[in-house]
């Protein structure tokens, strides 16, 4: 996807969005707001909002919470064409860029315009949900294996006997898709991943396709299935569902940290490619 320095980012209509379910997030949001104004990052003191009450008229959003908070903000901000930056107060913090202890560092980076804005591919379904990481298709309640028929551009590709299917963006390749055996994909590659969940055959393998393809999953059973966006937004469907590229991109503001490239983050956060210690 496209990266840009975006030197003309309007910071004076910044909103600080926090997850009220995370202890200390509201207080830290107020601290960020005060620091942005005091250090002249913004000309007016940014307002703080609970994640559920984020307005539609912001030009830049700072997310306070975990990766789930950032994902929810990013979905909303993609519709508004607004960049988002995340402070991590959750567990892994793979997408969130900084810890609360790095507030002064973040402020200096933003004041120096030492950042870039990365556009990330997103998914949409025809039951009206969108995702930055992934869409997960599976049966609503039953633990029984499903037969999920995959079509690409209306052409039959394969049938998975599995617990479900993950359709993932490159950004989501390090999330649920990775734990289900999918490949790690650099976020600048224009593709989607199709990864079966617990397939009951030895020849079922993940598939990587161009992001311009239309993906259809058809169900033989006359029962409801669910399609979940980023593990958060659940919609129900029967018989079939279509997934395609969303017309908007998520915009993530990333600091230009030294030695903080995609693969280094993989090693630091997920311990990817790290050989075990020898005795």
């Amino acid at each position: 996807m496209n990266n840009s320095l975006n030197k003309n980012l309007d910071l004076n209509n910044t909103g600080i969005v926090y997850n009220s379910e995370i202890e200390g997030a509201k207080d830290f949001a107020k601290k960020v707001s005060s620091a942005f104004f005091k250090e002249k990052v913004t000309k007016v003191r940014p307002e703080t909002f609970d994640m559920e009450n984020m307005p539609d008229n912001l030009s830049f959003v700072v997310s306070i919470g975990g990766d789930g908070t950032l994902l929810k903000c990013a979905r909303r901000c993609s519709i508004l064409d607004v960049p988002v930056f995340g402070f991590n107060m959750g567990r892994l913090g793979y997408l969130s860029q900084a810890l609360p202890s790095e507030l002064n560092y973040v402020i200096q980076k933003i004041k120096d315009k030492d950042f870039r804005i990365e556009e990330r591919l997103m998914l949409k379904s025809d039951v009206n949900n969108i995702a930055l990481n992934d869409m997960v298709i599976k049966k609503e309640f039953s633990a029984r294996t499903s037969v999920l028929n995959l079509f690409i551009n209306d052409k039959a590709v394969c049938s998975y006997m599995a617990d479900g299917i993950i359709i993932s963006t490159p950004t989501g390749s390090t999330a649920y898709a990775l734990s289900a055996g999918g490949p790690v994909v650099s976020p600048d590659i224009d593709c989607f991943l199709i990864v079966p969940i617990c397939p009951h055959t030895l020849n079922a393998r993940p598939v990587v396709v161009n992001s311009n393809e239309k993906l259809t999953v058809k169900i033989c059973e006359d029962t409801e299935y669910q399609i979940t966006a980023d593990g958060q937004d659940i919609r129900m469907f029967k018989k079939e569902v279509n997934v395609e590229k969303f017309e908007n991109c998520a915009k993530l503001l990333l600091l230009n940290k030294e030695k903080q490239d995609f693969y280094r983050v993989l090693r630091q956060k997920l311990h990817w490619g790290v050989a075990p210690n020898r005795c």
Side-chain angles (χ1 to χ4, degrees):
M1 300 306 295
N2 294 327
N3 300 339
S4 71
L5 295 178
N6 227 325
K7 303 292 187 182
N8 297 320
L9 175 65
D10 179 12
L11 295 169
N12 291 313
N13 196 20
T14 295
I16 314 297
V17 179
Y18 62 89
N19 186 341
S20 60
E21 296 181 1
I22 294 181
E23 184 178 355
K26 182 176 182 179
D27 290 339
F28 183 64
K30 293 178 179 178
K31 183 177 180 180
V32 173
S33 174
S34 296
F36 269 42
F37 180 54
K38 180 181 177 182
E39 298 298 327
K40 297 183 171 55
V41 176
T42 58
K43 294 180 180 178
V44 295
R45 180 169 175 160
E47 291 191 56
T48 62
F49 305 94
D50 180 274
M51 186 170 58
E52 304 301 327
N53 298 306
M54 189 182 91
D56 291 341
N57 61 346
L58 300 174
S59 61
F60 176 51
V61 169
V62 177
S63 163
I64 311 291
D67 280 342
T69 309
L70 190 141
L71 284 168
K72 192 165 189 176
C73 284
R75 291 199 304 274
R76 178 79 174 277
C77 288
S78 70
I79 297 171
L80 306 173
D81 197 31
V82 172
V84 60
F85 174 86
F87 279 98
N88 179 40
M89 297 186 72
R91 288 172 292 183
L92 183 61
Y94 190 84
L95 290 173
S96 301
Q97 273 270 288
L99 296 172
S101 60
E102 298 177 292
L103 175 57
N104 292 335
Y105 173 78
V106 170
I107 286 174
Q108 194 58 54
K109 283 285 190 180
I110 293 177
K111 286 176 67 175
D112 293 343
K113 300 188 183 299
D114 192 13
F115 60 81
R116 65 193 185 279
I117 292 176
E118 286 192 1
E119 294 184 341
R120 299 289 182 90
L121 277 172
M122 297 185 69
L123 295 158
K124 68 175 181 179
S125 77
D126 60 359
V127 288
N128 297 319
N129 54 357
I130 61 174
L132 171 55
N133 265 356
D134 50 45
M135 297 280 190
V136 178
I137 299 166
K138 62 181 181 179
K139 199 175 293 186
E140 183 178 13
F141 296 116
S142 175
R144 295 181 61 188
T145 301
S146 302
V147 176
L148 303 151
N149 300 303
L150 174 66
F151 292 74
I152 298 179
N153 295 330
D154 299 318
K155 296 179 181 178
V157 175
C158 63
S159 292
Y160 289 116
M161 181 179 290
D163 289 353
I165 288 179
I166 303 165
I167 300 174
S168 169
T169 66
T171 300
S173 71
T174 54
Y176 192 6
L178 179 66
S179 68
V184 173
V185 178
S186 176
D188 60 353
I189 296 177
D190 225 14
C191 68
F192 293 135
L193 291 67
I194 304 162
V195 183
I197 304 170
C198 300
H200 285 233
T201 56
L202 294 176
N203 60 356
R205 293 291 183 268
V207 179
V208 178
V209 300
N210 188 285
S211 66
N212 292 318
E213 314 282 23
K214 182 182 78 169
L215 310 178
T216 304
V217 177
K218 296 185 179 182
I219 312 297
C220 297
E221 306 170 67
D222 187 21
T223 186
E224 279 200 315
Y225 273 66
Q226 63 184 29
I227 178 167
T228 306
D230 293 336
Q232 297 172 336
D233 184 4
I234 301 173
R235 307 293 172 96
M236 306 306 299
F237 72 94
K238 279 190 172 184
K239 294 298 183 182
E240 69 176 67
V241 67
N242 295 299
V243 177
E244 297 179 87
K245 176 166 59 176
F246 186 44
E247 50 269 24
N248 293 359
C249 292
K251 292 186 174 181
L252 304 182
L253 187 147
L254 304 178
L255 304 178
N256 292 327
K257 298 182 178 181
E258 289 184 12
K259 300 179 180 179
Q260 196 71 3
D261 59 88
F262 172 71
Y263 300 102
R264 182 173 289 271
V265 173
L266 271 180
R267 293 193 296 273
Q268 290 177 342
K269 299 277 187 174
L270 300 181
H271 307 291
W272 174 80
V274 178
N277 292 330
R278 300 181 66 180
C279 297

